[in-house]
Amino acid sequence: MVLGKGASSSLSRKMVDGAEDMVSNCNDFTVLVVDDDPVIRKLHDMHLKKFGLSAQVVENGKTAVDLCHFGATFNLILMDKEMPIMDGVEATKELRAMGVNSLIVGVTSRDSQYETQAFMEAGLDFCFEKPLTADKISFILQELNKKN
């Protein structure tokens, strides 16, 4: 499931193939993966590397907020919804309140429309169900290219 501003849930294999050419322009993009699950962090980092991107990874929303507060900038933030210390909803709200205009993509294991809607309302650009796949990352990178 994908939710977003004008997003479509039908992602074709063609997008992934075309994304490689598109991503050659994205190698300077900075990515932050925010997730408390080490397996998901590793999986998302691995998928991003396939597209020529490296990511900084952190375990909770507070660390993400602190990084941005102290001057770190990211083109893309992949934000888990449920984390200890500070969850993705609160972290996203704080990042937006600080003026962070990164593409923030929520990633959640819960498919409840109510929970996903609350996450979107916090300031996400899109929200996907875990785990992210190459097709989903291709879609995200296309949106990132549009934004930048």
Side-chain angles (χ1 to χ4, degrees), residues 34 58-66 79 83-88 91 95:
V34 187
V58 297
E59 297 178 5
N60 62 69
K62 174 136 180 40
T63 305
V65 169
D66 288 347
M79 181 72 72
M83 296 175 286
I85 303 173
M86 182 184 287
D87 68 17
L95 290 169

Side-chain angles (χ1 to χ4, degrees), residues 9-108:
S9 62
S10 61
L11 300 173
S12 68
R13 182 74 195 147
K14 195 174 186 182
M15 276 173 63
V16 174
D17 294 338
E20 290 181 28
D21 296 331
M22 168 203 58
V23 172
S24 64
N25 302 330
C26 300
N27 287 339
D28 292 333
F29 285 166
T30 54
V31 182
L32 177 65
V33 176
V34 187
D35 201 302
D36 62 318
D37 184 335
V39 174
I40 294 294
R41 286 194 310 266
K42 178 102 173 140
L43 181 64
H44 291 169
D45 186 47
M46 179 185 71
H47 280 308
L48 290 164
K49 283 181 180 169
K50 287 180 184 176
F51 288 94
L53 298 168
S54 60
Q56 182 168 349
V57 295
V58 297
E59 297 178 5
N60 62 69
K62 174 136 180 40
T63 305
V65 169
D66 288 347
L67 279 171
C68 292
H69 177 76
F70 290 111
T73 59
F74 303 94
N75 299 99
L76 171 63
I77 299 173
L78 302 178
M79 181 72 72
D80 183 23
K81 182 178 185 295
E82 296 179 345
M83 296 175 286
I85 303 173
M86 182 184 287
D87 68 17
V89 174
E90 186 178 346
T92 301
K93 286 179 182 177
E94 286 202 29
L95 290 169
R96 293 301 190 207
M98 292 167 45
V100 172
N101 65 357
S102 305
L103 187 73
I104 304 179
V105 177
V107 185
T108 181

Side-chain angles (χ1 to χ4, degrees), residues 123-140:
L124 294 181
D125 294 288
F126 298 97
C127 190
F128 290 94
E129 196 172 345
K130 283 184 184 181
L132 289 180
T133 62
D135 284 345
K136 291 174 185 175
I137 289 176
S138 175
F139 172 82
I140 292 166

